[in-house]
Amino acid sequence: MNAIPAVASDVPEQRSGEPEHSRTWQERARALVVRFGPAVWCYAVLKLVGFTVFMKLLSFAGDYAKKPARFGGGANPWDVLASWDGWWYQQVAQFGYHPALVPVAGTEGMSVEQNSAAFFPLYPGLMRMTSDVTGLGLYGAGMLVSVVASLFAAAGIYAVVEKLSGDVRAGVIAAGIWAIAPGSGAEWAVYSDSTFVALAAWACYCVMTRQWVAAGVITLVAGLNRPTAAALIGAVGLAALVELYRRDSGVLRPLAAMLLAPIGLLGYVGWVGWRMGEWGGYFRLQHDAWLHYFDGGQGTWHAVRGVLLGRNDYPFAFPVPDLLATLIVLTLPVLITLMIRLRPPLVLTAYTLATIVSVLGSLGIFGNTSRYLLPAFPLLIALALGMRKLSWPVLAAVLGTGAIASGWYGGYVLFELGVP
């Protein structure tokens, strides 16, 4: 039980008292592997188990073969991973953007034609670059980006938890829990979720270690990946503002973080509005074409009420995903209380709460609540700290069972029984 902490404790020490800059790149790489290897391997093994179960369930059911490739179908089970949002990301990677607000009639609740400008550019840009460099098609490139990003996300979650708790074991467990979390099927798919979580985790870690400029730059990049980066931008900005008040890191670095953080998000939203000829064009597109907008939680309330009463009288009703989403919503107060009880750094608390408010306060596909909450990884910290007391055999049994089950609730339910 002490093997991992003993190894990790050697990492910060320099060999023979040598400074960091004098170490060879091989020594630095080895140190990184020693430090992050256990967490990344734990994540990867659990994720691979869940992914395999997910693919087996798709193959067994065979429903994917009856659906259009764009809407959850394809010639093979794994083609499902490139449908829905994955189809749009491939369109952006291949053809770029043509932002427009085209009126459409005859569709309930929608008055504008759907447009790829709703999807932020970082992930499809990485897809295109990876495809050009490796020769892979856009599907393969997208999967490669997502898988690699998920490993960086696991390492980032480990780094945050280990820094907060001082416990290497807890950090490894937290990375493992993220692999089997509800909605985890989107981590290995042509979706931008893993890329965002990787950036968010490392931005939070940089704030925790007072690397303010790095935190600002990473948050800027995250703002080019998903609109939900607004929660991260607010958290980094708030933490930097408090740091400015305390003057513990001087003025320039926290100020730089505050100024850099929102540039990516504001830049893309502004560019879309400029191309559309309407400065609020992006938000109108989300509202009138995708029916996704902040409604103060009315959509969530109607969905939860519908599930509890056994009714389907709310938008985007999908019975099984919605039931799981309701259970998650009912669990959130417990997870939030346990997290706050640990007194985490301000950046983690603000980021998590802002993410939850954004998810529950917006109208959208309620069954996707599990996926939308994947970035709220600090909710896992209390669970990881509680599970660190388990012996390795018991821990392997618990996480292994969760990995098998996640192939259903994290993957099949999300992609096949709903619209991810």
Side-chain angles (χ1 to χ4, degrees):
M1 292 179 61
N2 296 323
I4 294 179
V7 172
S9 64
D10 294 335
V11 174
E13 298 178 3
Q14 306 300 319
R15 189 180 54 150
S16 303
E18 294 179 2
E20 176 68 23
H21 63 80
S22 67
R23 305 173 75 190
T24 65
W25 70 266
Q26 293 95 333
E27 291 172 326
R28 295 178 183 178
R30 180 180 179 278
L32 290 174
V33 171
V34 170
R35 181 182 180 188
F36 296 108
V40 172
W41 273 110
C42 178
Y43 169 83
V45 170
L46 293 173
K47 187 63 202 158
L48 183 60
V49 171
F51 184 82
T52 301
V53 172
F54 178 22
M55 291 296 105
K56 290 294 184 180
L57 288 173
L58 286 172
S59 180
F60 177 76
D63 294 335
Y64 66 89
K66 306 172 186 176
K67 299 179 180 180
R70 179 178 171 182
F71 302 114
N76 304 289
W78 52 84
D79 291 334
V80 173
L81 302 174
S83 59
W84 300 110
D85 286 7
W87 183 86
W88 283 102
Y89 281 123
Q90 291 179 85
Q91 296 300 299
V92 175
Q94 185 173 1
F95 303 112
Y97 290 109
H98 303 282
L101 293 171
V102 180
V104 61
T107 304
E108 184 178 356
M110 297 180 181
S111 59
V112 172
E113 187 179 87
Q114 292 182 340
N115 187 281
S116 61
F119 296 86
F120 276 49
L122 178 64
Y123 179 69
L126 291 174
M127 287 174 59
R128 181 60 180 265
M129 181 179 69
T130 302
S131 177
D132 291 342
V133 170
T134 63
L136 292 171
L138 291 176
Y139 171 85
M143 288 296 296
L144 180 59
V145 170
S146 292
V147 171
V148 172
S150 74
L151 302 181
F152 277 94
I157 292 170
Y158 163 83
V160 168
V161 177
E162 191 274 336
K163 178 66 177 179
L164 174 63
S165 66
D167 192 310
V168 172
R169 185 184 176 96
V172 173
I173 294 171
I177 296 175
W178 192 67
I180 64 175
S184 56
E187 294 169 9
W188 285 10
V190 187
Y191 275 60
S192 64
D193 299 67
S194 289
T195 306
F196 178 75
V197 176
L199 293 166
W202 283 108
C204 289
Y205 178 77
C206 287
V207 171
M208 293 170 66
T209 54
R210 294 181 177 175
Q211 301 177 65
W212 291 104
V213 176
V217 171
I218 294 173
T219 305
L220 182 158
V221 176
L224 293 171
N225 191 64
R226 293 180 68 88
T228 49
L232 181 64
I233 293 168
V236 171
L238 181 60
L241 187 63
V242 172
E243 189 76 3
L244 281 174
Y245 175 77
R246 293 175 177 172
R247 300 275 181 113
D248 291 339
S249 300
V251 173
L252 292 180
R253 287 178 293 172
L255 183 60
M258 292 178 63
L259 296 176
L260 287 169
I263 291 177
L265 177 62
L266 295 179
Y268 178 69
V269 170
W271 177 80
V272 170
W274 173 68
R275 286 288 304 272
M276 289 180 172
E278 181 177 323
W279 287 114
Y282 175 82
F283 301 102
R284 185 181 165 197
L285 180 67
Q286 287 279 39
H287 187 286
D288 294 347
W290 300 92
L291 299 183
H292 195 97
Y293 55 89
F294 191 83
D295 67 347
Q298 294 183 45
T300 299
W301 162 245
H302 290 309
V304 171
R305 184 183 63 182
V307 171
L308 294 179
L309 297 179
R311 301 173 181 172
N312 294 323
D313 56 351
Y314 55 93
F316 311 115
F318 298 97
V320 177
D322 293 350
L323 177 59
L324 291 177
T326 299
L327 295 175
I328 292 171
V329 170
L330 295 177
T331 305
L332 282 177
V334 177
L335 295 177
I336 293 171
T337 301
L338 293 176
M339 180 193 71
I340 294 177
R341 184 173 176 269
L342 297 173
R343 297 183 179 180
L346 176 62
V347 66
L348 294 182
T349 302
Y351 166 65
T352 304
L353 295 180
T355 298
I356 293 172
V357 169
S358 174
V359 172
L360 300 187
S362 299
L363 176 65
I365 300 177
F366 180 64
N368 283 350
T369 298
S370 59
R371 180 169 76 86
Y372 297 152
L373 287 175
L374 273 178
F377 66 89
L379 292 174
L380 308 178
I381 297 175
L383 296 177
L385 291 176
M387 293 174 65
R388 65 182 171 174
K389 299 178 182 179
L390 300 175
S391 65
W392 282 117
V394 173
L395 191 59
V398 171
L399 292 177
T401 302
I404 295 172
S406 71
W408 177 74
Y409 67 74
Y412 187 82
V413 169
L414 189 67
F415 280 84
E416 192 67 13
L417 302 184
V419 177

